[in-house]
Amino acid sequence: MSYLDVRHATSVIAEIAAPSGGRVALHEPQFSGAEWGYVKECLDTGWVSSVGSFVDRFESDLAAACGVKRAVVVVNGTAALQIALLLAGVRRGDEVLTPALTFVATPNAIAHCGAIPHFVDSSWDTLGLDPKGLSDWLDRIAEPHADGPRNRITGRRLAAVVPMHTFGHPVDMPGLLKVADRWELPVVEDAAESIGSLQDGRPLGGRGLIGATSFNGNKIITTGGGGALLTNDDTLAHRAKHLTTTAKAPHRWAFSHDEIAFNYRMPNINAALGCAQLEKLPTFVRAKRALARRYSAALADLAGLRFFAEPDGAESNYWLNAVILDDPAQRDEFLTATNDAGIMTRPCWTLMCDLPMYRECPQMDLPVARAIEARLVNIPSSPILGMAGKM
């Protein structure tokens, strides 16, 4: 274990993130395209709510960017993931396998379905769900059943598995899909952080049955607030659209609804912002990858710390850059020094199984997830930091 010179590490990061001094955010949106024009069109025409040409256009353009047949845009990523789980067949009282190391939206979406998160460990290679560890765990606790595998300890059905691509780095999806196929588990991809990332040359979000993504203000592209479902199944997409638009039957004037559903529609004005942002996605990804290369080179010779690089076979969007400290005892010292210097950094999320509402949920041993939580720090990652003129 090497000792980290925290002061020196802070100065190295500051040279890249804030060469002119001043405070620097962890991740800021970048508006440098057609955003003003598209939003003004909504205001000028009055099409600002949940119907309008930009909603249809954003769904079409997003599907193409994510390599799927269909995208259905909604109010936020949590709503997208909740609907994706329902469409995958998750029912009240089921268990859903998901990493303990994730943002709280992942288990929240599971809980909103009346299901129970079942927490699994992560991989040092990807920071995401570990397929080998999951396979070994299922061999220990799962048993086949007519309507899907069951947890022999709790007796509950294992209804789905939800990988999350941590900070934009792809989970080993080929490995995970093999495990899921063996156990007949639908895969619902949480791609909230990974728009623009590739694995084996293919985008993420559409590898499983259905996926969900987010366009929150801190994501690589933003609609202010928003999310989307991604799928290659036209029937699922049609059902998603129906469920997220209050289950209203099409009619010129009548309000007829055929089931209890959700008002999760994305407004046209948000979709307009998304259309403009999506046009800049390749530029943002190039900038963020350039920033990652600069960090990697600058930090390469520092003892006690390493820059986390994309997994083999991946082209990550590096949504949030991350460093791993050798000594977890130095994490808070590093966070204090960088934030005191005006460089916004943050630790990884508290493991979901340690939050009060999820402490009683089933879990496997989590040695890797706990080590990542204790040692990982995110550093400034705004795309502007990697663009020409900032390099």
Side-chain angles (χ1 to χ4, degrees):
M1 182 181 295
S2 300
Y3 176 78
L4 173 66
D5 184 336
V6 170
R7 187 173 179 179
H8 179 53
T10 299
S11 66
V12 170
I13 293 171
E15 287 177 8
I16 296 173
S20 302
R23 299 194 67 82
V24 60
L26 188 67
H27 195 287
E28 293 181 308
Q30 179 72 19
F31 303 116
S32 56
E35 290 89 352
W36 283 105
Y38 291 170
V39 170
K40 186 176 185 301
E41 182 179 331
C42 293
L43 299 176
D44 289 343
T45 60
W47 292 99
V48 297
S49 194
S50 56
V51 177
S53 62
F54 284 112
V55 172
D56 296 337
R57 174 178 166 185
F58 189 36
E59 289 182 337
S60 176
D61 292 351
L62 182 63
C66 295
V68 294
K69 289 183 179 179
R70 297 285 301 278
V72 176
V73 294
V74 294
V75 292
N76 56 56
T78 308
L81 188 55
Q82 177 191 359
I83 298 300
L85 289 162
L86 291 174
L87 293 173
V90 174
R91 305 190 297 259
R92 182 170 296 277
D94 287 342
E95 292 180 13
V96 176
L97 298 149
T98 196
L101 184 75
T102 186
F103 181 56
V104 72
T106 312
N108 280 353
I110 295 167
H112 291 328
C113 297
I116 298 106
H118 182 143
F119 297 115
V120 298
D121 204 11
S122 298
S123 163
W124 272 117
D125 293 334
T126 68
L127 303 179
L129 187 151
D130 176 15
K132 175 64 167 59
L134 174 63
S135 180
D136 292 345
W137 180 240
L138 288 173
D139 286 341
R140 285 179 56 191
I141 63 97
E143 57 187 6
H145 195 271
D147 64 347
R150 289 190 177 272
N151 182 340
R152 64 165 59 96
I153 300 170
T154 65
R156 293 188 288 253
R157 188 173 77 112
L158 298 168
V161 56
V162 181
M164 194 278 288
H165 304 295
T166 309
F167 309 135
H169 299 297
V171 168
D172 174 11
M173 289 302 294
L176 176 59
L177 289 170
K178 289 179 182 177
V179 177
D181 287 346
R182 182 163 68 89
W183 285 98
E184 298 183 339
L185 284 166
V187 175
V188 177
E189 247 180 293
D190 184 344
E193 302 174 356
S194 55
I195 293 295
S197 295
L198 304 176
Q199 185 175 61
D200 300 326
R202 294 174 53 200
L204 303 172
R207 300 296 184 90
L209 177 68
I210 192 166
T213 193
S214 170
F215 308 114
N216 189 33
N218 66 348
K219 294 301 190 292
I220 189 167
I221 63 170
T222 182
T223 59
L229 295 101
L230 307 169
T231 185
N232 288 304
D233 188 316
D234 286 325
T235 301
L236 285 180
H238 179 78
R239 179 91 176 117
K241 196 74 169 179
H242 188 61
L243 281 177
T244 56
T245 54
T246 68
K248 183 181 181 297
H251 194 279
R252 290 174 63 192
W253 59 78
F255 284 87
S256 178
H257 307 261
D258 55 20
E259 61 182 308
I260 298 171
F262 307 88
N263 188 3
Y264 284 173
R265 299 170 290 184
M266 176 182 283
N268 196 51
I269 196 168
N270 295 84
L273 190 60
C275 288
Q277 287 273 285
L278 196 56
E279 292 171 357
K280 301 291 290 184
L281 178 61
T283 300
F284 293 160
V285 172
R286 284 195 298 271
K288 290 172 75 62
R289 289 180 60 78
L291 177 62
R293 288 193 295 271
R294 293 188 66 211
Y295 276 136
S296 181
L299 298 170
D301 295 330
L302 266 67
L305 171 154
R306 69 178 175 90
F307 179 78
F308 187 85
E310 63 194 5
D312 291 340
E315 293 180 40
S316 299
N317 66 10
Y318 284 96
W319 170 58
L320 286 185
N321 290 293
V323 294
I324 309 292
L325 278 61
D326 283 359
D327 184 357
Q330 289 194 279
R331 189 197 70 171
D332 288 356
E333 179 190 359
F334 179 67
L335 287 164
T336 299
T338 48
N339 281 280
D340 284 351
I343 308 300
M344 185 177 178
T345 59
R346 75 173 197 193
C348 202
W349 312 284
T350 299
L351 294 191
M352 296 299 101
C353 56
D354 292 337
L355 298 179
M357 60 283 199
Y358 295 127
R359 283 178 186 153
E360 302 304 316
C361 292
Q363 61 179 273
M364 64 183 290
D365 290 338
L366 304 167
V368 175
R370 293 204 176 277
I372 294 171
E373 177 196 22
R375 297 166 57 194
L376 184 143
V377 174
N378 291 121
I379 58 179
S381 303
S382 303
I384 189 67
L385 299 178
M387 290 181 174
K390 293 286 182 179
M391 301 179 64

PDB file of all heavy atoms in Angstrom, residues 21-49:
ATOM      1  N   GLY A  21      -7.772  28.777 -11.971  1.00  0.00           N
ATOM      2  CA  GLY A  21      -8.261  28.964 -10.616  1.00  0.00           C
ATOM      3  C   GLY A  21      -9.776  29.009 -10.570  1.00  0.00           C
ATOM      4  O   GLY A  21     -10.457  28.806 -11.577  1.00  0.00           O
ATOM      5  N   GLY A  22     -10.312  29.298  -9.403  1.00  0.00           N
ATOM      6  CA  GLY A  22     -11.758  29.334  -9.241  1.00  0.00           C
ATOM      7  C   GLY A  22     -12.323  27.957  -8.949  1.00  0.00           C
ATOM      8  O   GLY A  22     -11.638  26.932  -9.055  1.00  0.00           O
ATOM      9  N   ARG A  23     -13.598  27.940  -8.584  1.00  0.00           N
ATOM     10  CA  ARG A  23     -14.255  26.692  -8.242  1.00  0.00           C
ATOM     11  C   ARG A  23     -14.653  25.947  -9.509  1.00  0.00           C
ATOM     12  O   ARG A  23     -15.011  26.552 -10.522  1.00  0.00           O
ATOM     13  CB  ARG A  23     -15.485  26.944  -7.374  1.00  0.00           C
ATOM     14  CG  ARG A  23     -15.149  27.624  -6.040  1.00  0.00           C
ATOM     15  CD  ARG A  23     -16.303  27.552  -5.069  1.00  0.00           C
ATOM     16  NE  ARG A  23     -16.553  26.175  -4.635  1.00  0.00           N
ATOM     17  CZ  ARG A  23     -15.872  25.578  -3.672  1.00  0.00           C
ATOM     18  NH1 ARG A  23     -14.875  26.195  -3.061  1.00  0.00           N
ATOM     19  NH2 ARG A  23     -16.164  24.340  -3.312  1.00  0.00           N
ATOM     20  N   VAL A  24     -14.622  24.635  -9.446  1.00  0.00           N
ATOM     21  CA  VAL A  24     -15.010  23.808 -10.586  1.00  0.00           C
ATOM     22  C   VAL A  24     -15.975  22.732 -10.112  1.00  0.00           C
ATOM     23  O   VAL A  24     -15.758  22.100  -9.074  1.00  0.00           O
ATOM     24  CB  VAL A  24     -13.777  23.184 -11.289  1.00  0.00           C
ATOM     25  CG1 VAL A  24     -12.976  22.309 -10.345  1.00  0.00           C
ATOM     26  CG2 VAL A  24     -14.192  22.385 -12.517  1.00  0.00           C
ATOM     27  N   ALA A  25     -17.066  22.568 -10.849  1.00  0.00           N
ATOM     28  CA  ALA A  25     -18.102  21.606 -10.480  1.00  0.00           C
ATOM     29  C   ALA A  25     -17.699  20.190 -10.870  1.00  0.00           C
ATOM     30  O   ALA A  25     -16.786  19.978 -11.676  1.00  0.00           O
ATOM     31  CB  ALA A  25     -19.418  21.974 -11.158  1.00  0.00           C
ATOM     32  N   LEU A  26     -18.414  19.231 -10.303  1.00  0.00           N
ATOM     33  CA  LEU A  26     -18.158  17.833 -10.652  1.00  0.00           C
ATOM     34  C   LEU A  26     -18.581  17.553 -12.088  1.00  0.00           C
ATOM     35  O   LEU A  26     -17.856  16.915 -12.853  1.00  0.00           O
ATOM     36  CB  LEU A  26     -18.921  16.903  -9.694  1.00  0.00           C
ATOM     37  CG  LEU A  26     -18.604  15.422  -9.818  1.00  0.00           C
ATOM     38  CD1 LEU A  26     -17.170  15.126  -9.389  1.00  0.00           C
ATOM     39  CD2 LEU A  26     -19.585  14.595  -8.990  1.00  0.00           C
ATOM     40  N   HIS A  27     -19.778  18.032 -12.451  1.00  0.00           N
ATOM     41  CA  HIS A  27     -20.257  17.828 -13.820  1.00  0.00           C
ATOM     42  C   HIS A  27     -21.320  18.870 -14.136  1.00  0.00           C
ATOM     43  O   HIS A  27     -22.341  18.949 -13.467  1.00  0.00           O
ATOM     44  CB  HIS A  27     -20.848  16.425 -14.003  1.00  0.00           C
ATOM     45  CG  HIS A  27     -21.021  16.030 -15.435  1.00  0.00           C
ATOM     46  ND1 HIS A  27     -22.008  16.565 -16.249  1.00  0.00           N
ATOM     47  CD2 HIS A  27     -20.327  15.173 -16.220  1.00  0.00           C
ATOM     48  CE1 HIS A  27     -21.912  16.044 -17.451  1.00  0.00           C
ATOM     49  NE2 HIS A  27     -20.895  15.192 -17.466  1.00  0.00           N
ATOM     50  N   GLU A  28     -21.070  19.674 -15.149  1.00  0.00           N
ATOM     51  CA  GLU A  28     -22.002  20.712 -15.570  1.00  0.00           C
ATOM     52  C   GLU A  28     -22.521  20.420 -16.975  1.00  0.00           C
ATOM     53  O   GLU A  28     -21.778  19.890 -17.810  1.00  0.00           O
ATOM     54  CB  GLU A  28     -21.325  22.079 -15.571  1.00  0.00           C
ATOM     55  CG  GLU A  28     -20.941  22.585 -14.199  1.00  0.00           C
ATOM     56  CD  GLU A  28     -20.304  23.959 -14.250  1.00  0.00           C
ATOM     57  OE1 GLU A  28     -19.333  24.128 -15.030  1.00  0.00           O
ATOM     58  OE2 GLU A  28     -20.761  24.854 -13.533  1.00  0.00           O
ATOM     59  N   PRO A  29     -23.772  20.777 -17.259  1.00  0.00           N
ATOM     60  CA  PRO A  29     -24.278  20.608 -18.627  1.00  0.00           C
ATOM     61  C   PRO A  29     -23.602  21.585 -19.579  1.00  0.00           C
ATOM     62  O   PRO A  29     -23.107  22.643 -19.156  1.00  0.00           O
ATOM     63  CB  PRO A  29     -25.773  20.902 -18.485  1.00  0.00           C
ATOM     64  CG  PRO A  29     -25.867  21.810 -17.300  1.00  0.00           C
ATOM     65  CD  PRO A  29     -24.783  21.357 -16.363  1.00  0.00           C
ATOM     66  N   GLN A  30     -23.579  21.235 -20.833  1.00  0.00           N
ATOM     67  CA  GLN A  30     -22.977  22.073 -21.859  1.00  0.00           C
ATOM     68  C   GLN A  30     -24.025  22.369 -22.922  1.00  0.00           C
ATOM     69  O   GLN A  30     -24.554  21.456 -23.562  1.00  0.00           O
ATOM     70  CB  GLN A  30     -21.771  21.350 -22.490  1.00  0.00           C
ATOM     71  CG  GLN A  30     -21.078  22.111 -23.597  1.00  0.00           C
ATOM     72  CD  GLN A  30     -20.283  23.296 -23.076  1.00  0.00           C
ATOM     73  OE1 GLN A  30     -19.960  23.361 -21.893  1.00  0.00           O
ATOM     74  NE2 GLN A  30     -19.974  24.229 -23.940  1.00  0.00           N
ATOM     75  N   PHE A  31     -24.358  23.637 -23.101  1.00  0.00           N
ATOM     76  CA  PHE A  31     -25.349  24.054 -24.097  1.00  0.00           C
ATOM     77  C   PHE A  31     -24.637  24.879 -25.160  1.00  0.00           C
ATOM     78  O   PHE A  31     -24.336  26.048 -24.951  1.00  0.00           O
ATOM     79  CB  PHE A  31     -26.479  24.852 -23.443  1.00  0.00           C
ATOM     80  CG  PHE A  31     -27.189  24.106 -22.347  1.00  0.00           C
ATOM     81  CD1 PHE A  31     -27.135  24.552 -21.043  1.00  0.00           C
ATOM     82  CD2 PHE A  31     -27.890  22.939 -22.622  1.00  0.00           C
ATOM     83  CE1 PHE A  31     -27.785  23.862 -20.025  1.00  0.00           C
ATOM     84  CE2 PHE A  31     -28.536  22.238 -21.618  1.00  0.00           C
ATOM     85  CZ  PHE A  31     -28.487  22.703 -20.315  1.00  0.00           C
ATOM     86  N   SER A  32     -24.367  24.247 -26.283  1.00  0.00           N
ATOM     87  CA  SER A  32     -23.572  24.910 -27.310  1.00  0.00           C
ATOM     88  C   SER A  32     -24.099  24.632 -28.712  1.00  0.00           C
ATOM     89  O   SER A  32     -23.387  24.824 -29.694  1.00  0.00           O
ATOM     90  CB  SER A  32     -22.111  24.443 -27.218  1.00  0.00           C
ATOM     91  OG  SER A  32     -22.027  23.026 -27.306  1.00  0.00           O
ATOM     92  N   GLY A  33     -25.346  24.188 -28.815  1.00  0.00           N
ATOM     93  CA  GLY A  33     -25.907  23.851 -30.116  1.00  0.00           C
ATOM     94  C   GLY A  33     -27.217  24.565 -30.377  1.00  0.00           C
ATOM     95  O   GLY A  33     -27.340  25.783 -30.191  1.00  0.00           O
ATOM     96  N   ALA A  34     -28.231  23.774 -30.726  1.00  0.00           N
ATOM     97  CA  ALA A  34     -29.521  24.331 -31.151  1.00  0.00           C
ATOM     98  C   ALA A  34     -30.531  24.443 -30.010  1.00  0.00           C
ATOM     99  O   ALA A  34     -31.724  24.630 -30.269  1.00  0.00           O
ATOM    100  CB  ALA A  34     -30.094  23.461 -32.274  1.00  0.00           C
ATOM    101  N   GLU A  35     -30.077  24.344 -28.758  1.00  0.00           N
ATOM    102  CA  GLU A  35     -31.005  24.327 -27.630  1.00  0.00           C
ATOM    103  C   GLU A  35     -31.928  25.547 -27.616  1.00  0.00           C
ATOM    104  O   GLU A  35     -33.147  25.415 -27.472  1.00  0.00           O
ATOM    105  CB  GLU A  35     -30.240  24.250 -26.299  1.00  0.00           C
ATOM    106  CG  GLU A  35     -29.559  22.915 -26.038  1.00  0.00           C
ATOM    107  CD  GLU A  35     -28.151  22.850 -26.580  1.00  0.00           C
ATOM    108  OE1 GLU A  35     -27.743  23.800 -27.312  1.00  0.00           O
ATOM    109  OE2 GLU A  35     -27.452  21.857 -26.294  1.00  0.00           O
ATOM    110  N   TRP A  36     -31.354  26.739 -27.742  1.00  0.00           N
ATOM    111  CA  TRP A  36     -32.172  27.950 -27.679  1.00  0.00           C
ATOM    112  C   TRP A  36     -33.220  27.972 -28.787  1.00  0.00           C
ATOM    113  O   TRP A  36     -34.387  28.306 -28.548  1.00  0.00           O
ATOM    114  CB  TRP A  36     -31.284  29.193 -27.787  1.00  0.00           C
ATOM    115  CG  TRP A  36     -30.552  29.522 -26.532  1.00  0.00           C
ATOM    116  CD1 TRP A  36     -29.228  29.321 -26.271  1.00  0.00           C
ATOM    117  CD2 TRP A  36     -31.089  30.107 -25.350  1.00  0.00           C
ATOM    118  NE1 TRP A  36     -28.901  29.735 -25.002  1.00  0.00           N
ATOM    119  CE2 TRP A  36     -30.024  30.238 -24.412  1.00  0.00           C
ATOM    120  CE3 TRP A  36     -32.361  30.541 -24.982  1.00  0.00           C
ATOM    121  CZ2 TRP A  36     -30.217  30.775 -23.146  1.00  0.00           C
ATOM    122  CZ3 TRP A  36     -32.544  31.081 -23.708  1.00  0.00           C
ATOM    123  CH2 TRP A  36     -31.476  31.197 -22.810  1.00  0.00           C
ATOM    124  N   GLY A  37     -32.816  27.618 -29.996  1.00  0.00           N
ATOM    125  CA  GLY A  37     -33.742  27.651 -31.124  1.00  0.00           C
ATOM    126  C   GLY A  37     -34.880  26.660 -30.986  1.00  0.00           C
ATOM    127  O   GLY A  37     -36.045  26.997 -31.266  1.00  0.00           O
ATOM    128  N   TYR A  38     -34.560  25.441 -30.554  1.00  0.00           N
ATOM    129  CA  TYR A  38     -35.604  24.413 -30.432  1.00  0.00           C
ATOM    130  C   TYR A  38     -36.578  24.747 -29.301  1.00  0.00           C
ATOM    131  O   TYR A  38     -37.793  24.580 -29.447  1.00  0.00           O
ATOM    132  CB  TYR A  38     -34.973  23.046 -30.183  1.00  0.00           C
ATOM    133  CG  TYR A  38     -34.206  22.474 -31.352  1.00  0.00           C
ATOM    134  CD1 TYR A  38     -33.415  21.334 -31.200  1.00  0.00           C
ATOM    135  CD2 TYR A  38     -34.257  23.055 -32.621  1.00  0.00           C
ATOM    136  CE1 TYR A  38     -32.693  20.799 -32.258  1.00  0.00           C
ATOM    137  CE2 TYR A  38     -33.538  22.532 -33.680  1.00  0.00           C
ATOM    138  CZ  TYR A  38     -32.763  21.406 -33.491  1.00  0.00           C
ATOM    139  OH  TYR A  38     -32.060  20.867 -34.541  1.00  0.00           O
ATOM    140  N   VAL A  39     -36.054  25.205 -28.169  1.00  0.00           N
ATOM    141  CA  VAL A  39     -36.932  25.564 -27.064  1.00  0.00           C
ATOM    142  C   VAL A  39     -37.791  26.773 -27.438  1.00  0.00           C
ATOM    143  O   VAL A  39     -38.989  26.827 -27.115  1.00  0.00           O
ATOM    144  CB  VAL A  39     -36.119  25.836 -25.784  1.00  0.00           C
ATOM    145  CG1 VAL A  39     -36.999  26.438 -24.689  1.00  0.00           C
ATOM    146  CG2 VAL A  39     -35.480  24.546 -25.277  1.00  0.00           C
ATOM    147  N   LYS A  40     -37.211  27.740 -28.132  1.00  0.00           N
ATOM    148  CA  LYS A  40     -37.978  28.908 -28.576  1.00  0.00           C
ATOM    149  C   LYS A  40     -39.108  28.497 -29.507  1.00  0.00           C
ATOM    150  O   LYS A  40     -40.207  29.070 -29.467  1.00  0.00           O
ATOM    151  CB  LYS A  40     -37.068  29.924 -29.261  1.00  0.00           C
ATOM    152  CG  LYS A  40     -37.772  31.226 -29.631  1.00  0.00           C
ATOM    153  CD  LYS A  40     -36.797  32.229 -30.222  1.00  0.00           C
ATOM    154  CE  LYS A  40     -37.490  33.568 -30.464  1.00  0.00           C
ATOM    155  NZ  LYS A  40     -38.636  33.476 -31.383  1.00  0.00           N
ATOM    156  N   GLU A  41     -38.859  27.504 -30.365  1.00  0.00           N
ATOM    157  CA  GLU A  41     -39.919  27.016 -31.252  1.00  0.00           C
ATOM    158  C   GLU A  41     -41.102  26.490 -30.439  1.00  0.00           C
ATOM    159  O   GLU A  41     -42.264  26.731 -30.789  1.00  0.00           O
ATOM    160  CB  GLU A  41     -39.371  25.929 -32.170  1.00  0.00           C
ATOM    161  CG  GLU A  41     -40.409  25.391 -33.156  1.00  0.00           C
ATOM    162  CD  GLU A  41     -39.848  24.334 -34.086  1.00  0.00           C
ATOM    163  OE1 GLU A  41     -38.630  24.375 -34.378  1.00  0.00           O
ATOM    164  OE2 GLU A  41     -40.620  23.454 -34.518  1.00  0.00           O
ATOM    165  N   CYS A  42     -40.810  25.775 -29.350  1.00  0.00           N
ATOM    166  CA  CYS A  42     -41.894  25.300 -28.487  1.00  0.00           C
ATOM    167  C   CYS A  42     -42.672  26.474 -27.894  1.00  0.00           C
ATOM    168  O   CYS A  42     -43.912  26.473 -27.863  1.00  0.00           O
ATOM    169  CB  CYS A  42     -41.338  24.446 -27.347  1.00  0.00           C
ATOM    170  SG  CYS A  42     -40.611  22.889 -27.860  1.00  0.00           S
ATOM    171  N   LEU A  43     -41.955  27.484 -27.426  1.00  0.00           N
ATOM    172  CA  LEU A  43     -42.610  28.643 -26.826  1.00  0.00           C
ATOM    173  C   LEU A  43     -43.417  29.427 -27.860  1.00  0.00           C
ATOM    174  O   LEU A  43     -44.531  29.875 -27.588  1.00  0.00           O
ATOM    175  CB  LEU A  43     -41.565  29.548 -26.168  1.00  0.00           C
ATOM    176  CG  LEU A  43     -40.739  28.930 -25.037  1.00  0.00           C
ATOM    177  CD1 LEU A  43     -39.678  29.909 -24.558  1.00  0.00           C
ATOM    178  CD2 LEU A  43     -41.626  28.500 -23.885  1.00  0.00           C
ATOM    179  N   ASP A  44     -42.841  29.589 -29.050  1.00  0.00           N
ATOM    180  CA  ASP A  44     -43.522  30.363 -30.094  1.00  0.00           C
ATOM    181  C   ASP A  44     -44.788  29.672 -30.570  1.00  0.00           C
ATOM    182  O   ASP A  44     -45.789  30.331 -30.896  1.00  0.00           O
ATOM    183  CB  ASP A  44     -42.587  30.594 -31.283  1.00  0.00           C
ATOM    184  CG  ASP A  44     -41.462  31.578 -30.967  1.00  0.00           C
ATOM    185  OD1 ASP A  44     -41.582  32.310 -29.963  1.00  0.00           O
ATOM    186  OD2 ASP A  44     -40.464  31.596 -31.711  1.00  0.00           O
ATOM    187  N   THR A  45     -44.771  28.348 -30.641  1.00  0.00           N
ATOM    188  CA  THR A  45     -45.920  27.609 -31.166  1.00  0.00           C
ATOM    189  C   THR A  45     -46.891  27.194 -30.072  1.00  0.00           C
ATOM    190  O   THR A  45     -48.025  26.794 -30.372  1.00  0.00           O
ATOM    191  CB  THR A  45     -45.449  26.342 -31.903  1.00  0.00           C
ATOM    192  OG1 THR A  45     -44.737  25.499 -30.991  1.00  0.00           O
ATOM    193  CG2 THR A  45     -44.536  26.702 -33.083  1.00  0.00           C
ATOM    194  N   GLY A  46     -46.469  27.274 -28.813  1.00  0.00           N
ATOM    195  CA  GLY A  46     -47.336  26.865 -27.703  1.00  0.00           C
ATOM    196  C   GLY A  46     -47.302  25.386 -27.403  1.00  0.00           C
ATOM    197  O   GLY A  46     -47.962  24.928 -26.458  1.00  0.00           O
ATOM    198  N   TRP A  47     -46.508  24.599 -28.150  1.00  0.00           N
ATOM    199  CA  TRP A  47     -46.416  23.159 -27.911  1.00  0.00           C
ATOM    200  C   TRP A  47     -45.342  22.903 -26.854  1.00  0.00           C
ATOM    201  O   TRP A  47     -44.209  22.565 -27.159  1.00  0.00           O
ATOM    202  CB  TRP A  47     -46.085  22.415 -29.195  1.00  0.00           C
ATOM    203  CG  TRP A  47     -47.201  22.444 -30.197  1.00  0.00           C
ATOM    204  CD1 TRP A  47     -47.330  23.270 -31.268  1.00  0.00           C
ATOM    205  CD2 TRP A  47     -48.351  21.596 -30.207  1.00  0.00           C
ATOM    206  NE1 TRP A  47     -48.494  23.003 -31.948  1.00  0.00           N
ATOM    207  CE2 TRP A  47     -49.149  21.979 -31.317  1.00  0.00           C
ATOM    208  CE3 TRP A  47     -48.809  20.565 -29.377  1.00  0.00           C
ATOM    209  CZ2 TRP A  47     -50.350  21.360 -31.631  1.00  0.00           C
ATOM    210  CZ3 TRP A  47     -49.996  19.949 -29.684  1.00  0.00           C
ATOM    211  CH2 TRP A  47     -50.751  20.339 -30.792  1.00  0.00           C
ATOM    212  N   VAL A  48     -45.720  23.071 -25.598  1.00  0.00           N
ATOM    213  CA  VAL A  48     -44.749  22.941 -24.508  1.00  0.00           C
ATOM    214  C   VAL A  48     -45.025  21.746 -23.611  1.00  0.00           C
ATOM    215  O   VAL A  48     -44.196  21.407 -22.769  1.00  0.00           O
ATOM    216  CB  VAL A  48     -44.735  24.217 -23.629  1.00  0.00           C
ATOM    217  CG1 VAL A  48     -44.286  25.418 -24.437  1.00  0.00           C
ATOM    218  CG2 VAL A  48     -46.094  24.460 -22.985  1.00  0.00           C
ATOM    219  N   SER A  49     -46.170  21.096 -23.750  1.00  0.00           N
ATOM    220  CA  SER A  49     -46.533  20.016 -22.830  1.00  0.00           C
ATOM    221  C   SER A  49     -46.209  18.656 -23.439  1.00  0.00           C
ATOM    222  O   SER A  49     -45.224  18.526 -24.170  1.00  0.00           O
ATOM    223  CB  SER A  49     -48.013  20.134 -22.448  1.00  0.00           C
ATOM    224  OG  SER A  49     -48.299  19.321 -21.325  1.00  0.00           O
TER     225      SER A  49
END
